[in-house]
Amino acid sequence: MKQLALGVPKGSLQESTIRLFRQSGWKISLSDRNYFPEINDSDINCSICRAQEMSRYVESGTFDVGLTGRDWIMENDSDVIVVTDLVYSKVSQRPARWVLAVPMDSPVRDLQDLQGKKIATELVNFTRRYFETEGVKVNVEFSWGATEAKVISGLCDAIVEVTETGATMRANGLRIVKELMQSNTQLIANRQAWEDPWKRAKIEHISLLLQGALRAEDLVALKMNVPEEKLNEVIKLLPSLNAPTIAHLYMSTWLSVETVVSKNIVRELIPRLIQGGAEGIIEYSLNKVI
């Protein structure tokens, strides 16, 4: 029996990844200290692996497919197939940013000011290549953690660190000099597995449903009743994926209108729909939009 070896990232992405798979239709059950979780699909063999190492194991064929950040694929310079981008993280659906940061009172204003200086980061290989490309000689040291504290305490001149909004860095007295890279989660595949028709079909199946689940997180469905004479007025207010679904209510001049809209506009949209003549409005969540 064929099985697809799937790598699930351990660490900050673990919980959000398992949640995304659950929304896509796969339940991954993980117990403490267990690196081989169960999944409700006999075609898939699941393992937990650190995001930092995932691309190396996918490249080598230990895993047929896995999820990790674009940053760690670049750090490892891994030769893998990027099946799709999946923009989600531990706390949001925004890409993460790797930035060069210094203390607020640092004289450093651009990359050239760091000539001969020391930079601490977890992303050593990428940072070295970046500064080499820019023609700036720097000493890049690996940081095991607490990287922001090192530049504040003077253990290094600058850091390359990941952030989403930069708010934590500002709160810690750091100033962002330059954004070096944006990163998001990517579904990656081993090249040999990608050439296997059965495995490729399974990977594409997973990709399709994961994308559908992510897309659904930004959307909700609205259903409402509208009197026939108010229909055009209400329809003008409604965005939709294609066009709203409209059906007559039984033995009535009222219509049922159903559509999918962005979560961001619902708060303002519902009062306008009521003013336009809609009644009995129901808002409900979606699992997937494909």
Side-chain angles (χ1 to χ4, degrees):
M1 175 183 168
K2 275 197 170 184
Q3 276 195 316
L4 190 75
L6 167 66
V8 175
K10 181 178 172 61
S12 63
L13 283 177
Q14 179 176 313
E15 187 177 335
S16 51
T17 299
I18 290 175
R19 185 172 61 245
L20 181 62
F21 268 83
R22 183 168 59 245
Q23 194 171 334
S24 304
W26 286 280
K27 184 179 179 182
I28 297 174
S29 303
L30 180 66
S31 57
D32 291 343
R33 300 182 182 180
N34 181 358
Y35 288 90
F36 304 100
E38 294 183 1
I39 185 168
N40 61 341
D41 187 335
S42 59
D43 290 341
I44 299 176
N45 178 19
C46 215
S47 301
I48 295 291
C49 171
R50 289 186 64 82
Q52 292 90 332
E53 300 174 301
M54 184 70 74
S55 67
R56 291 163 47 197
Y57 288 124
V58 171
E59 181 182 17
S60 69
T62 302
F63 300 138
D64 296 313
V65 62
L67 296 101
T68 188
R70 174 173 174 264
D71 44 6
W72 297 114
I73 301 169
M74 295 182 71
E75 171 69 3
N76 297 327
D77 199 20
S78 297
D79 181 20
V80 295
I81 299 289
V82 177
V83 181
T84 188
D85 284 292
L86 299 165
V87 184
Y88 71 95
S89 66
K90 178 181 177 182
V91 295
S92 75
Q93 288 184 292
R94 287 178 295 206
R97 301 185 299 147
W98 283 90
V99 298
L100 177 69
V102 296
M104 284 290 184
D105 58 357
S106 169
V108 173
R109 295 292 167 185
D110 60 34
L111 297 183
Q112 299 299 328
D113 294 335
L114 284 165
Q115 189 79 30
K117 304 290 186 181
K118 185 189 295 182
I119 298 174
T121 183
E122 194 179 355
L123 213 63
V124 171
N125 295 328
F126 168 81
T127 303
R128 281 181 180 149
R129 289 197 298 267
Y130 188 94
F131 277 89
E132 284 172 7
T133 303
E134 296 292 328
V136 180
K137 288 187 177 179
V138 291
N139 178 20
V140 181
E141 291 190 347
F142 180 74
S143 172
W144 289 95
T147 307
E148 293 178 355
K150 288 172 182 165
V151 69
I152 293 293
S153 59
L155 294 176
C156 60
D157 300 291
I159 60 172
V160 172
E161 181 65 317
V162 68
T163 183
E164 285 191 28
T165 64
T168 304
M169 286 195 167
R170 287 192 295 276
N172 287 327
L174 298 180
R175 171 167 50 83
I176 294 175
V177 177
K178 187 177 176 61
E179 178 182 304
L180 306 189
M181 170 177 53
Q182 285 198 0
S183 178
N184 56 264
T185 306
Q186 293 184 321
L187 181 68
I188 56 175
N190 171 266
R191 289 194 174 277
Q192 197 168 353
W194 191 247
E195 295 303 318
D196 182 310
W198 183 88
K199 289 185 176 180
R200 180 167 179 162
K202 190 70 180 178
I203 293 169
E204 289 177 332
H205 179 191
I206 293 171
S207 173
L208 177 70
L209 295 185
L210 291 179
Q211 290 179 72
L214 264 186
R215 193 178 183 197
E217 288 190 358
D218 292 329
L219 301 169
V220 292
L222 287 180
K223 192 170 185 178
M224 68 207 78
N225 295 328
V226 180
E228 206 167 47
E229 66 274 15
K230 297 284 189 180
L231 181 63
N232 289 337
E233 186 176 346
V234 170
I235 293 297
K236 287 177 186 173
L237 299 173
L238 289 177
S240 64
L241 293 178
N242 291 308
T245 301
I246 299 173
H248 272 284
L249 298 185
Y250 180 64
M251 300 284 288
S252 170
T253 58
W254 283 66
L255 299 129
S256 171
V257 178
E258 193 167 3
T259 191
V260 174
V261 301
S262 168
K263 281 181 180 176
N264 297 330
I265 67 167
V266 170
R267 190 174 57 192
E268 284 75 27
L269 179 60
I270 287 180
R272 294 169 62 203
L273 291 171
I274 293 172
Q275 289 174 0
E279 295 183 10
I281 299 173
I282 299 171
E283 175 190 338
Y284 54 96
S285 302
L286 304 166
N287 283 329
K288 290 180 275 295
V289 175
I290 296 172

